[in-house]
Amino acid sequence: MRGKIQDHELKFPFTLRRGVGLWRLAFLGGKPLAPVAEDKSEAWHRGRYLVEGAGHCAECHSPRNVAGAVPLKRRFSGGPNPEGTGYIPNITPDDTGIGFWTARDIARYLEEGVSPIGMKAGGDMKEVIANTSRLSAQDRHAMAEYLKSVAAVEAPNAGTTKPNRTDEIVMLPAAHAATGPSRLAALEASPDVVDKQGVLYVVAPTPLTVAQAGGAEDGKLLGAAEITVLAREASKIQVRVEGWQLDGSESALYALQGQRILKAVLTPEAIGKVKRQKSVQDEHTGQQWHQVSLDVWIAPKGLSGDLASLWQHSKETYHATCATCHALPHTQDFLANQWIGTLGAMKRSRRWTMPSIGCCWRGCKTIPRMSIRPRMPGHERRAGGCGERAGLACRARLAGGAAARASG
């Protein structure tokens, strides 16, 4: 079969082949790995081979300088993902890394992908675990023994506080009260689109009333909820929202049967206006679900005519926020019900608004394969799959085949 090799997408000066030689002169010592250490066990030497060679763990779990080289004194201390999607954690035996992990914890993580505090491996590490889980138990324990022996580096993960090693009491930062304007506002459609389009989507929580005259609100439509326009008046539009209700929880209107993906929250007045189309009993739980619709009045603002733009915002929020301090979780790792607590628990430590959390939550359980990494702005790829700076380093290592030395 004939095929065409994909062209490199590196920018100057990384397009210069001679640059590889210069990089090797600057960052490669031309020396093999240090000889056998007589005071170390056979398992330690096996672990060193797997971690430094076959596994090349330091290539991801280390920061890089402007030339793409890994500083020797910062190896395994974590840093920005060369792929441009978040932050890779510190795995040195420091308090800011995995110092509290035992060798058994590390070996179990390499087999099952679950940390000592119950967190699942996410992002690229999930793919790594798929491979390390096939190693023998002896090999995983050998890797753990070696990782426990590398130099400890104090390097708090992004978004976490610096450890306090003094006797002084230091208060943690207060919650981020001032989060700034939400980017959701930029997704609102123009008045012309709202006036002409028959199907619209809620951008941020929107008050609703069952009566055209208004008065006290009878509930809210939530982010990304689909609505059908029934009538238009000067200052209001009548819309229909459809979804599912659960017996005993009539104040919530869900997008799907059996999943807590909220479309609207209702007061008793609004609940009384809900129309039922059909009822279904869940065969697993015995719960009674009702497919319903509700006609309400809302202000013609805070709406979008393009659902794809809302999902794109959700995807960008997910990648930019949920990969800052840790590996990016796969959206399939949590149920719709679990995402509520997972995202809500992060409100204090992340600078995002409740509407953004809601939109992100809806996206996590609605967008197929949302956990696939997007190409980040300014991030270029080459045929080999490395980022721009890391790409030059990879080319030099492949050409030289020697261990990189420190850049200082």
Side-chain angles (χ1 to χ4, degrees):
M1 177 181 289
R2 291 181 176 273
K4 183 180 179 181
I5 299 176
Q6 181 182 352
D7 293 334
H8 295 315
E9 296 181 6
L10 298 175
K11 294 179 180 179
F12 180 83
F14 301 101
T15 53
L16 299 178
R17 183 66 183 176
R18 290 183 181 276
V20 175
L22 295 174
W23 194 96
R24 290 172 59 189
L25 287 173
F27 302 111
L28 292 182
K31 298 179 181 179
L33 197 61
V36 174
E38 296 182 357
D39 61 333
K40 300 295 185 182
S41 67
E42 182 179 347
W44 183 91
H45 285 96
R46 177 67 176 172
R48 181 178 69 160
Y49 162 73
L50 292 170
V51 170
E52 300 285 5
H56 54 277
C57 305
E59 298 307 312
C60 287
H61 285 277
S62 303
R64 295 180 182 273
N65 61 20
V66 293
V70 175
L72 182 59
K73 294 182 179 180
R74 305 287 295 175
R75 297 182 82 243
F76 300 106
S77 65
N81 189 341
E83 293 290 328
T85 54
Y87 193 89
I88 297 178
N90 179 354
I91 58 169
T92 70
D94 185 76
D95 291 344
T96 58
I98 57 173
F100 66 95
W101 293 32
T102 65
R104 187 184 296 274
D105 290 333
I106 298 173
R108 177 174 177 262
Y109 184 78
L110 294 174
E111 180 182 12
E112 302 176 7
V114 180
S115 76
I117 59 174
M119 290 187 65
K120 292 184 178 180
D124 294 334
M125 195 62 199
K126 188 170 185 177
E127 301 172 13
V128 173
I129 297 299
N131 292 315
T132 56
S133 63
R134 300 179 183 180
L135 294 173
S136 66
Q138 291 79 6
D139 280 348
R140 288 191 295 269
H141 280 281
M143 294 177 69
E145 181 177 338
Y146 179 75
L147 286 172
K148 290 295 290 183
S149 73
V150 302
V153 180
E154 183 177 306
N157 291 334
T160 60
T161 57
K162 186 176 181 180
N164 177 23
R165 304 186 189 279
T166 69
D167 294 332
E168 181 182 357
I169 297 177
V170 178
M171 302 300 294
L172 293 175
H176 301 299
T179 57
S182 171
R183 291 192 299 119
L184 284 171
L187 303 178
E188 295 182 11
S190 65
D192 290 342
V193 172
V194 176
D195 290 342
K196 296 177 181 178
Q197 197 157 312
V199 177
L200 299 169
Y201 304 93
V202 177
V203 173
T206 300
L208 62 87
T209 59
V210 294
Q212 180 180 356
E217 67 179 59
D218 296 316
K220 280 186 171 66
L221 297 175
L222 303 182
E226 178 181 311
I227 54 177
T228 303
V229 179
L230 303 178
R232 289 182 170 88
E233 299 297 336
S235 61
K236 287 191 175 183
I237 57 175
Q238 187 183 32
V239 299
R240 175 170 295 163
V241 58
E242 299 178 331
W244 291 83
Q245 275 185 328
L246 171 66
D247 272 355
S249 184
E250 287 79 7
S251 61
L253 191 64
Y254 299 102
L256 298 172
Q257 175 195 338
Q259 296 195 40
R260 292 177 62 190
I261 305 177
L262 291 170
K263 294 185 74 173
V265 290
L266 310 174
T267 64
E269 290 74 15
I271 294 173
K273 300 293 183 179
V274 169
K275 299 177 182 178
R276 292 183 178 179
Q277 273 78 52
K278 68 175 183 179
S279 298
V280 177
Q281 186 175 33
D282 190 290
E283 61 178 337
H284 300 293
T285 65
Q287 294 176 323
Q288 195 74 15
W289 288 85
H290 310 283
Q291 190 173 20
V292 300
S293 65
L294 175 65
D295 298 344
V296 297
W297 291 87
I298 63 173
K301 60 182 181 180
L303 304 172
S304 172
D306 181 15
L307 181 60
S309 65
L310 290 177
W311 289 156
Q312 183 62 28
H313 168 82
S314 181
K315 182 184 292 187
E316 291 174 355
T317 301
Y318 178 62
H319 284 83
T321 305
C322 298
T324 300
C325 304
H326 51 73
L328 187 70
H330 285 235
T331 54
Q332 296 87 349
D333 286 347
F334 300 101
L335 301 176
N337 297 353
Q338 293 171 324
W339 271 115
I340 298 174
T342 300
L343 294 177
M346 300 304 296
K347 287 188 299 182
R348 188 181 189 281
S349 58
R350 304 311 318 147
R351 291 181 178 272
W352 57 0
T353 61
M354 284 304 297
S356 289
I357 292 178
C359 189
C360 184
W361 164 44
R362 287 286 307 274
C364 283
K365 293 313 301 177
T366 306
I367 307 173
R369 297 177 63 81
M370 194 182 85
S371 58
I372 294 178
R373 297 188 301 275
R375 174 175 291 190
M376 305 299 284
H379 173 62
E380 303 293 336
R381 281 187 174 273
R382 63 182 293 273
C386 294
E388 189 170 282
R389 287 184 293 169
L392 182 59
C394 283
R395 287 164 61 187
R397 280 191 296 274
L398 290 173
R405 63 179 174 83
S407 61

